[in-house]
Amino acid sequence: DYPKLLNDFAFSFPYQETPDQQAAIDDVLKDLASERPMNRLIIGDVGFGKTEVSLRAAVRVIAEGHQVAVLCPTTILAMQHHRTFIERCFSFGIKVGLLTRLQTAGQKKKVLRLLENGELDILIGTKAIFNKQVRFHRLGLVIADEEHRFGVKQKEQLKNLSQLNPDFPAEYMAMSATPIPRTLHLALSGLREVSVIATPPPHRRAIQTHFMRFNISEIAKQIRYELKRGGQVFFVHNRIEDLQAHADIIQSAVPEAIIAVASGRSSRQHIEQTMLDLIEFRCHVLVSTTIIENGIDLPNVNTIIINNAQNLGLSQLYQLRGRVGRSKEQGHCTLLIPKVVCVKSLVPKL
């Protein structure tokens, strides 16, 4: 009885859907009811509710006895989605699995066995899902989050994944906050359907963006301001070699702050523990590389400071800036740049 399941699942959503979000959900459910396989792109700003749209689609497909694959470009985004999907799906008996490079051989073996036997409803993972050992019992939907982060070869693999069963090709749904020109061209030319979520959640305030040169006194002042109002801070330095050195500098300037450090070389256990420490407010400042640009949803983190911002792409800066201001609190983003960078050329784009 999937109408009842969908209604119960929608009722369990702890927020009020925005008009655009509800329209996107309706578009997806209409696609899934159609005889033609879905190929829809969901465009929405960071934090505008694309994940809930994917959850509604997944539940609709699972209710008919199919499985769902959720592809993520980064391990940390996969871990975040895994946590979110479990929180939303657990009370409905929907089983969710995770597959990334950071899992042990035993964990991977168990996930693959459950998947092949049809005992796993949703598999969330990185490109590890493309491995030949991954066998779905009855795949019905492929969801690609941040599709613009996948290369041409990986997109071809996504296509092959959705066509594992020629007699019953899986539905395909992509999500992106910053779609690449080719993706937009396919949407605008009518080769794929598109839904745009342009309505911000209620009480969401525009993030204030600031520019300045590296000044540890000013950085310490911003961190203390955030701590004083009960918040937390991201400090992004996209260079692993001296990441710890920058953490030490910040620690010396703000000795009262508890600082954590994470990068792409960190173990899964370290990343999970760091995220848990942030959630439970056991640390105040996370010094990290750009691994946080996707998947981190921490409403209490409302200040982000990005070092050497001139070395990052506009899409990356946009995603990073979207990690803060996800609650009713005012979000602040400070871009640290050298003197030679033309600030005026950046302001209109951000």
Side-chain angles (χ1 to χ4, degrees), residues 67-332:
Q67 294 170 304
V68 178
V70 181
L71 276 295
C72 306
T74 65
T75 298
I76 200 164
L77 177 56
M79 291 167 60
Q80 177 75 45
H81 273 327
H82 183 243
R83 183 166 66 89
T84 301
F85 272 63
I86 286 179
E87 288 175 353
R88 290 285 283 120
C89 297
F90 178 77
S91 60
F92 296 92
I94 296 173
K95 296 180 175 62
V96 184
L98 178 67
L99 191 65
T100 70
R101 64 179 177 82
L102 295 182
Q103 289 176 289
T104 65
Q107 290 172 327
K108 291 179 181 178
K109 187 176 180 180
K110 181 180 179 181
V111 168
L112 294 177
R113 176 175 55 79
L114 293 174
L115 186 71
E116 189 171 4
N117 293 339
E119 299 175 55
L120 201 63
D121 300 305
I122 303 174
L123 178 63
I124 300 173
T126 55
K127 61 183 181 181
I129 291 182
F130 297 136
N131 194 298
K132 293 180 180 179
Q133 294 178 321
V134 179
R135 298 185 183 91
F136 289 87
H137 180 72
R138 197 182 184 197
L139 181 63
L141 172 65
V142 176
I143 300 172
D145 195 9
E146 299 301 337
E147 188 195 44
H148 64 279
R149 295 285 303 277
F150 292 99
V152 174
K153 182 179 178 181
Q154 290 172 325
K155 286 182 180 177
E156 187 64 29
Q157 290 174 307
L158 283 169
K159 181 180 178 182
N160 294 337
L161 184 63
S162 65
Q163 296 177 349
L164 286 176
N165 184 353
D167 298 325
F168 187 82
E171 315 278 358
Y172 181 76
M173 188 178 91
M175 301 184 292
S176 180
T178 53
I180 60 174
R182 180 177 179 275
T183 301
L184 281 177
H185 173 71
L186 290 174
L188 295 174
S189 62
L191 296 177
R192 72 188 305 184
E193 302 297 328
V194 59
S195 297
V196 179
I197 304 177
T199 310
H203 311 300
R204 179 67 60 86
R205 303 171 69 178
I207 301 165
Q208 292 186 1
T209 305
H210 318 275
F211 298 86
M212 72 175 193
R213 294 198 294 275
F214 192 99
N215 184 319
I216 192 58
S217 297
E218 285 298 318
I219 292 171
K221 183 178 178 181
Q222 291 185 20
I223 292 174
R224 286 196 173 99
Y225 168 79
E226 187 59 57
L227 298 185
K228 188 176 181 180
R229 65 173 181 166
Q232 294 162 291
V233 178
F234 285 145
F235 183 91
V236 178
H237 177 74
N238 201 33
R239 182 181 168 88
I240 295 178
E241 289 75 12
D242 54 353
L243 188 65
Q244 184 60 54
H246 280 74
D248 294 340
I249 292 171
I250 294 171
Q251 185 70 84
S252 298
V254 193
E256 68 272 25
I258 301 174
I259 296 176
V261 180
S263 71
R265 292 181 188 173
S266 302
S267 66
R268 178 190 176 186
Q269 290 75 18
H270 177 78
I271 292 175
E272 287 181 336
Q273 186 59 54
T274 300
M275 294 302 108
L276 189 60
D277 289 343
L278 282 166
I279 292 169
E280 298 184 356
F281 212 84
R282 288 197 293 265
C283 75
H284 304 123
V285 181
L286 174 63
V287 179
S288 77
T289 57
T290 55
I291 60 168
I292 66 164
E293 73 177 282
N294 298 115
I296 299 294
D297 187 1
L298 300 171
N300 204 48
V301 181
N302 287 300
T303 292
I304 184 169
I305 302 169
I306 305 172
N307 194 27
N308 289 323
Q310 78 284 351
N311 293 333
L312 302 178
L314 191 59
S315 173
Q316 280 184 302
L317 291 174
Y318 193 75
Q319 291 284 350
L320 287 166
R321 194 180 67 146
R323 296 305 105 201
V324 299
R326 300 173 76 88
S327 65
K328 62 181 180 180
E329 294 292 336
Q330 177 66 61
H332 294 275

